[in-house]
Amino acid sequence: QVLRRQYESEGEFVTIQTKFNYAWGLIKSKSRDQIGQGITLLTEIYTDSPERRRECLYYLALGHYKLGNYSEARQYNQQLLKLEPSNHQAIVLNKSIAEKVSREGVIGLAIVSGVLAVGAALVVAIIKGRSSSSRK
């Protein structure tokens, strides 16, 4: 609330620091809409203020991670790790991203395998049905 009021009170003359603080607060939210707003603000800062890019990278990665956009999260986090290879938060986030991608990949593979098994069973049933009706 405080961060939003500050951001709104500055209007069209909002400072980059106020915008960053508000975006940070939004990223920390559990609301997908607020996280998305935070990503939008951080992307604006990242684009418009090259000198502030480094500090945006972690929160852009975190926001995308929280929304399940693991590819984008990984890209931003990798950029940060190139600049700061020993950044503990980025290292932990990198592991979390890898675990989520791996877990979702296994689930996706299981779903695809299940669909293929059902499809194969249907094909076998159709073939058996045709061959038994042609024998009559």
Side-chain angles (χ1 to χ4, degrees):
Q1 294 287 11
V2 173
L3 296 172
R4 186 178 78 226
R5 277 196 303 269
Q6 178 66 34
Y7 176 78
E8 290 171 351
S9 73
E10 291 183 20
E12 66 181 87
F13 302 107
V14 66
T15 65
I16 292 173
Q17 188 60 51
T18 297
K19 192 177 203 178
F20 179 84
N21 292 346
Y22 181 47
W24 169 84
L26 291 168
I27 293 292
K28 295 289 188 172
S29 169
K30 291 184 178 169
S31 161
R32 293 180 65 82
D33 288 341
Q34 289 182 351
I35 295 167
Q37 290 172 343
I39 288 171
T40 298
L41 293 174
L42 287 168
T43 301
E44 289 172 8
I45 296 168
Y46 184 87
T47 303
D48 298 341
S49 304
E51 71 281 1
R52 303 293 294 258
R53 285 183 178 163
R54 186 195 55 75
E55 62 189 308
C56 292
L57 289 172
Y58 176 75
Y59 294 104
L60 281 165
L62 181 62
H64 281 290
Y65 173 79
K66 289 175 76 173
L67 292 180
N69 303 331
Y70 304 123
S71 177
E72 291 90 343
R74 178 180 281 140
Q75 288 174 358
Y76 285 114
N77 204 50
Q78 289 300 320
Q79 286 181 44
L80 179 56
L81 286 169
K82 283 180 187 171
L83 297 170
E84 299 178 13
S86 60
N87 183 311
H88 181 69
Q89 285 181 305
I91 292 168
V92 170
L93 182 56
N94 200 49
K95 288 178 184 173
S96 297
I97 293 166
E99 288 170 5
K100 281 283 191 180
V101 168
S102 176
R103 188 174 317 127
E104 290 194 4
V106 168
I107 291 169
L109 186 58
I111 291 169
V112 169
S113 297
V115 169
L116 289 174
V118 169
L122 286 172
V123 168
V124 168
I126 291 169
I127 292 171
K128 281 185 178 180
R130 285 184 181 167
S131 66
S132 65
S133 65
S134 66
R135 286 186 219 158
K136 293 181 180 178

PDB file of all heavy atoms in Angstrom, residues 99-115:
ATOM      1  N   GLU A  99      14.706 -27.435 -11.099  1.00  0.00           N
ATOM      2  CA  GLU A  99      13.850 -28.460 -10.494  1.00  0.00           C
ATOM      3  C   GLU A  99      12.436 -28.405 -11.058  1.00  0.00           C
ATOM      4  O   GLU A  99      11.848 -29.445 -11.372  1.00  0.00           O
ATOM      5  CB  GLU A  99      13.812 -28.284  -8.974  1.00  0.00           C
ATOM      6  CG  GLU A  99      15.101 -28.685  -8.296  1.00  0.00           C
ATOM      7  CD  GLU A  99      15.152 -28.287  -6.821  1.00  0.00           C
ATOM      8  OE1 GLU A  99      14.137 -27.781  -6.285  1.00  0.00           O
ATOM      9  OE2 GLU A  99      16.221 -28.475  -6.213  1.00  0.00           O
ATOM     10  N   LYS A 100      11.895 -27.201 -11.202  1.00  0.00           N
ATOM     11  CA  LYS A 100      10.539 -27.052 -11.755  1.00  0.00           C
ATOM     12  C   LYS A 100      10.482 -27.541 -13.193  1.00  0.00           C
ATOM     13  O   LYS A 100       9.541 -28.244 -13.572  1.00  0.00           O
ATOM     14  CB  LYS A 100      10.077 -25.599 -11.691  1.00  0.00           C
ATOM     15  CG  LYS A 100       9.598 -25.163 -10.342  1.00  0.00           C
ATOM     16  CD  LYS A 100       8.221 -25.681 -10.077  1.00  0.00           C
ATOM     17  CE  LYS A 100       7.656 -25.010  -8.844  1.00  0.00           C
ATOM     18  NZ  LYS A 100       6.321 -25.474  -8.522  1.00  0.00           N
ATOM     19  N   VAL A 101      11.457 -27.154 -13.988  1.00  0.00           N
ATOM     20  CA  VAL A 101      11.480 -27.567 -15.395  1.00  0.00           C
ATOM     21  C   VAL A 101      11.584 -29.087 -15.481  1.00  0.00           C
ATOM     22  O   VAL A 101      10.872 -29.725 -16.261  1.00  0.00           O
ATOM     23  CB  VAL A 101      12.635 -26.879 -16.155  1.00  0.00           C
ATOM     24  CG1 VAL A 101      12.860 -27.502 -17.519  1.00  0.00           C
ATOM     25  CG2 VAL A 101      12.360 -25.385 -16.287  1.00  0.00           C
ATOM     26  N   SER A 102      12.431 -29.674 -14.659  1.00  0.00           N
ATOM     27  CA  SER A 102      12.608 -31.121 -14.649  1.00  0.00           C
ATOM     28  C   SER A 102      11.318 -31.816 -14.223  1.00  0.00           C
ATOM     29  O   SER A 102      10.858 -32.752 -14.877  1.00  0.00           O
ATOM     30  CB  SER A 102      13.738 -31.494 -13.697  1.00  0.00           C
ATOM     31  OG  SER A 102      13.853 -32.882 -13.601  1.00  0.00           O
ATOM     32  N   ARG A 103      10.702 -31.333 -13.139  1.00  0.00           N
ATOM     33  CA  ARG A 103       9.473 -31.940 -12.620  1.00  0.00           C
ATOM     34  C   ARG A 103       8.344 -31.815 -13.643  1.00  0.00           C
ATOM     35  O   ARG A 103       7.634 -32.776 -13.915  1.00  0.00           O
ATOM     36  CB  ARG A 103       9.064 -31.258 -11.309  1.00  0.00           C
ATOM     37  CG  ARG A 103       7.915 -31.960 -10.612  1.00  0.00           C
ATOM     38  CD  ARG A 103       7.596 -31.379  -9.249  1.00  0.00           C
ATOM     39  NE  ARG A 103       8.771 -31.084  -8.467  1.00  0.00           N
ATOM     40  CZ  ARG A 103       9.022 -29.901  -7.902  1.00  0.00           C
ATOM     41  NH1 ARG A 103       8.192 -28.911  -8.031  1.00  0.00           N
ATOM     42  NH2 ARG A 103      10.119 -29.713  -7.199  1.00  0.00           N
ATOM     43  N   GLU A 104       8.196 -30.637 -14.233  1.00  0.00           N
ATOM     44  CA  GLU A 104       7.132 -30.444 -15.220  1.00  0.00           C
ATOM     45  C   GLU A 104       7.417 -31.215 -16.500  1.00  0.00           C
ATOM     46  O   GLU A 104       6.489 -31.670 -17.159  1.00  0.00           O
ATOM     47  CB  GLU A 104       6.910 -28.959 -15.487  1.00  0.00           C
ATOM     48  CG  GLU A 104       6.270 -28.283 -14.293  1.00  0.00           C
ATOM     49  CD  GLU A 104       5.718 -26.914 -14.582  1.00  0.00           C
ATOM     50  OE1 GLU A 104       5.737 -26.461 -15.737  1.00  0.00           O
ATOM     51  OE2 GLU A 104       5.250 -26.289 -13.614  1.00  0.00           O
ATOM     52  N   GLY A 105       8.691 -31.377 -16.813  1.00  0.00           N
ATOM     53  CA  GLY A 105       9.049 -32.186 -17.979  1.00  0.00           C
ATOM     54  C   GLY A 105       8.665 -33.643 -17.773  1.00  0.00           C
ATOM     55  O   GLY A 105       8.146 -34.297 -18.678  1.00  0.00           O
ATOM     56  N   VAL A 106       8.886 -34.167 -16.571  1.00  0.00           N
ATOM     57  CA  VAL A 106       8.529 -35.555 -16.255  1.00  0.00           C
ATOM     58  C   VAL A 106       7.011 -35.718 -16.303  1.00  0.00           C
ATOM     59  O   VAL A 106       6.492 -36.681 -16.857  1.00  0.00           O
ATOM     60  CB  VAL A 106       9.086 -35.962 -14.865  1.00  0.00           C
ATOM     61  CG1 VAL A 106       8.487 -37.274 -14.385  1.00  0.00           C
ATOM     62  CG2 VAL A 106      10.600 -36.049 -14.918  1.00  0.00           C
ATOM     63  N   ILE A 107       6.285 -34.750 -15.742  1.00  0.00           N
ATOM     64  CA  ILE A 107       4.822 -34.807 -15.769  1.00  0.00           C
ATOM     65  C   ILE A 107       4.327 -34.743 -17.211  1.00  0.00           C
ATOM     66  O   ILE A 107       3.447 -35.514 -17.610  1.00  0.00           O
ATOM     67  CB  ILE A 107       4.219 -33.663 -14.918  1.00  0.00           C
ATOM     68  CG1 ILE A 107       4.500 -33.908 -13.440  1.00  0.00           C
ATOM     69  CG2 ILE A 107       2.717 -33.525 -15.164  1.00  0.00           C
ATOM     70  CD1 ILE A 107       4.188 -32.729 -12.537  1.00  0.00           C
ATOM     71  N   GLY A 108       4.888 -33.845 -17.998  1.00  0.00           N
ATOM     72  CA  GLY A 108       4.505 -33.726 -19.405  1.00  0.00           C
ATOM     73  C   GLY A 108       4.778 -35.010 -20.169  1.00  0.00           C
ATOM     74  O   GLY A 108       3.965 -35.455 -20.977  1.00  0.00           O
ATOM     75  N   LEU A 109       5.925 -35.620 -19.890  1.00  0.00           N
ATOM     76  CA  LEU A 109       6.281 -36.877 -20.546  1.00  0.00           C
ATOM     77  C   LEU A 109       5.299 -37.979 -20.165  1.00  0.00           C
ATOM     78  O   LEU A 109       4.875 -38.769 -21.014  1.00  0.00           O
ATOM     79  CB  LEU A 109       7.714 -37.274 -20.171  1.00  0.00           C
ATOM     80  CG  LEU A 109       8.292 -38.488 -20.874  1.00  0.00           C
ATOM     81  CD1 LEU A 109       8.286 -38.283 -22.388  1.00  0.00           C
ATOM     82  CD2 LEU A 109       9.707 -38.736 -20.391  1.00  0.00           C
ATOM     83  N   ALA A 110       4.904 -38.017 -18.896  1.00  0.00           N
ATOM     84  CA  ALA A 110       3.935 -39.019 -18.443  1.00  0.00           C
ATOM     85  C   ALA A 110       2.587 -38.816 -19.130  1.00  0.00           C
ATOM     86  O   ALA A 110       1.934 -39.779 -19.537  1.00  0.00           O
ATOM     87  CB  ALA A 110       3.775 -38.948 -16.927  1.00  0.00           C
ATOM     88  N   ILE A 111       2.170 -37.583 -19.284  1.00  0.00           N
ATOM     89  CA  ILE A 111       0.898 -37.288 -19.963  1.00  0.00           C
ATOM     90  C   ILE A 111       0.966 -37.727 -21.418  1.00  0.00           C
ATOM     91  O   ILE A 111       0.067 -38.394 -21.924  1.00  0.00           O
ATOM     92  CB  ILE A 111       0.546 -35.794 -19.837  1.00  0.00           C
ATOM     93  CG1 ILE A 111       0.188 -35.462 -18.388  1.00  0.00           C
ATOM     94  CG2 ILE A 111      -0.599 -35.410 -20.770  1.00  0.00           C
ATOM     95  CD1 ILE A 111       0.073 -33.970 -18.091  1.00  0.00           C
ATOM     96  N   VAL A 112       2.040 -37.349 -22.092  1.00  0.00           N
ATOM     97  CA  VAL A 112       2.196 -37.733 -23.502  1.00  0.00           C
ATOM     98  C   VAL A 112       2.235 -39.251 -23.628  1.00  0.00           C
ATOM     99  O   VAL A 112       1.593 -39.827 -24.519  1.00  0.00           O
ATOM    100  CB  VAL A 112       3.470 -37.090 -24.112  1.00  0.00           C
ATOM    101  CG1 VAL A 112       3.795 -37.683 -25.468  1.00  0.00           C
ATOM    102  CG2 VAL A 112       3.288 -35.584 -24.213  1.00  0.00           C
ATOM    103  N   SER A 113       2.945 -39.927 -22.742  1.00  0.00           N
ATOM    104  CA  SER A 113       3.019 -41.394 -22.778  1.00  0.00           C
ATOM    105  C   SER A 113       1.641 -42.007 -22.580  1.00  0.00           C
ATOM    106  O   SER A 113       1.273 -42.968 -23.266  1.00  0.00           O
ATOM    107  CB  SER A 113       3.964 -41.910 -21.693  1.00  0.00           C
ATOM    108  OG  SER A 113       5.269 -41.450 -21.933  1.00  0.00           O
ATOM    109  N   GLY A 114       0.873 -41.448 -21.660  1.00  0.00           N
ATOM    110  CA  GLY A 114      -0.483 -41.942 -21.415  1.00  0.00           C
ATOM    111  C   GLY A 114      -1.374 -41.770 -22.635  1.00  0.00           C
ATOM    112  O   GLY A 114      -2.127 -42.683 -23.008  1.00  0.00           O
ATOM    113  N   VAL A 115      -1.284 -40.623 -23.261  1.00  0.00           N
ATOM    114  CA  VAL A 115      -2.078 -40.359 -24.469  1.00  0.00           C
ATOM    115  C   VAL A 115      -1.673 -41.324 -25.575  1.00  0.00           C
ATOM    116  O   VAL A 115      -2.533 -41.881 -26.279  1.00  0.00           O
ATOM    117  CB  VAL A 115      -1.917 -38.890 -24.928  1.00  0.00           C
ATOM    118  CG1 VAL A 115      -2.497 -38.673 -26.308  1.00  0.00           C
ATOM    119  CG2 VAL A 115      -2.571 -37.951 -23.917  1.00  0.00           C
TER     120      VAL A 115
END
